[in-house]
Amino acid sequence: MDDSPIIFARAEGIASIRFNRPHVLNALDEAMVAALRAAVETAARDERVRVVVISGEGRGFMAGGDVGRFHAAGPEAPALVRQLIEPFHEAVVRLAEMPKPVVASLHGPVAGAGLSIALLADLAIAADDAQFTLAYARIGTSPDGSATWSLPRVVGLRKALELALLADTIDAAEALRLNLVNRVVPRERLEAETEALATRLAAGPALAYGRIKRLMRTSLDRDLPAQLAEEASAFAACAASADFAEGVSAFVGKRPPRFTGR
């Protein structure tokens, strides 16, 4: 087994970023956040990559920050937190802003920063054994990794405050009901279902996906007329692409489109 904190692979337009500290439930330490930032940057810059999948090795997706490291740091914990958060947040911003769909493949514990990443992803698929908790309050701190930005947008302010303040654990079925994830599948089917979803996205209209992602993610920052103007601009840009010409031709010809991302 690769002993790197992040296992990164690329194939058929899909970049896989896999957390790989299973002995501590993939908890984030300095080496992992540095490797995560590097992997995200590589995936963002590689024009061959059309979708990014984030998953975890071992019995869970991620348990959050490495609390053992915080404890060992003692009075130096604030400095350690800064060392962790700054590159972590750089990776988070890059994931949100890259014009490529990001899929979270979730199983077992999805806690703290793990839940932040799951919420940030464009789509999330969970195994039926997944357990979710925004665990920060349990160790006397507030969330990071964009959870306070994502969660109110997904579940509303009142429910977001409940999940953050009480830090209760919810199961996969409740996560689906709350829209924390898009679908729940049997644990033994998670890898196959994730691959099928990623393959479908990789074959899709990459330029349009990028526009869709940006329009959705920035929509709450604009009033309706401004959003309509952005939609018109994005549609016009897509209409100039080879993918649009192919999509229209395929629709008229009653055949499946063959998108190339151009």
Side-chain angles (χ1 to χ4, degrees):
M1 175 62 69
D2 192 331
D3 61 359
S4 302
I6 294 288
I7 299 173
F8 180 78
R10 285 166 289 192
E12 304 296 329
I14 301 168
S16 171
I17 298 174
R18 193 167 184 86
F19 302 122
N20 189 40
R21 298 185 74 218
H23 60 291
V24 288
L25 273 173
N26 298 319
L28 289 168
D29 66 358
E30 299 96 316
M32 180 178 273
V33 294
L36 174 63
R37 179 177 59 183
V40 169
E41 186 63 29
T42 298
R45 289 180 178 274
D46 191 338
E47 294 183 356
R48 297 167 297 178
V49 171
R50 300 178 69 168
V51 59
V52 177
V53 175
I54 304 178
S55 61
E57 186 66 33
R59 66 184 184 88
F61 178 72
M62 183 199 284
D66 192 334
V67 178
R69 290 284 293 116
F70 299 151
H71 183 264
E76 300 303 317
L80 173 61
V81 166
R82 284 291 183 185
Q83 287 181 310
L84 289 170
I85 284 183
E86 289 177 7
F88 179 46
H89 282 183
E90 289 173 7
V92 163
V93 170
R94 195 67 160 126
L95 285 169
E97 293 184 348
M98 71 168 66
K100 306 174 183 186
V102 176
V103 178
S105 181
L106 311 168
H107 74 287
V110 184
L115 183 50
S116 296
I117 292 171
L119 288 165
L120 180 75
D122 301 307
L123 297 173
I125 181 169
D128 53 11
D129 70 343
Q131 297 285 320
F132 301 81
T133 178
L134 203 63
Y136 296 91
R138 294 186 182 182
I139 61 168
T141 190
S142 55
D144 65 353
S146 77
T148 61
W149 187 92
S150 301
L151 194 59
R153 287 167 165 76
V154 172
V155 303
L157 178 60
R158 183 61 58 84
K159 192 65 180 182
L161 283 166
E162 177 188 333
L163 292 171
L165 294 173
L166 301 183
D168 289 334
T169 298
I170 63 174
D171 62 17
E174 179 66 1
L176 181 63
R177 189 185 73 81
L178 292 174
N179 292 325
L180 301 184
V181 300
N182 297 96
R183 63 183 69 168
V184 174
V185 300
R187 175 67 183 90
E188 64 272 14
R189 292 290 304 162
L190 178 62
E191 186 173 340
E193 294 289 344
T194 300
E195 182 178 358
L197 177 59
T199 299
R200 177 178 176 181
L201 290 168
L207 296 176
Y209 282 167
R211 298 283 181 172
I212 292 167
K213 180 171 175 175
R214 180 168 178 77
L215 283 168
M216 293 286 189
R217 286 190 172 276
T218 60
S219 63
L220 296 180
D221 300 327
R222 303 188 190 93
D223 60 19
L224 178 58
Q227 185 67 9
L228 290 171
E230 289 293 321
E231 288 183 348
S233 178
F235 197 124
C238 289
S241 71
D243 274 355
F244 180 80
E246 166 62 12
V248 170
S249 178
F251 182 85
V252 172
K254 302 185 186 303
R255 60 173 176 81
R258 293 181 295 273
F259 296 119
T260 61
R262 295 192 295 271

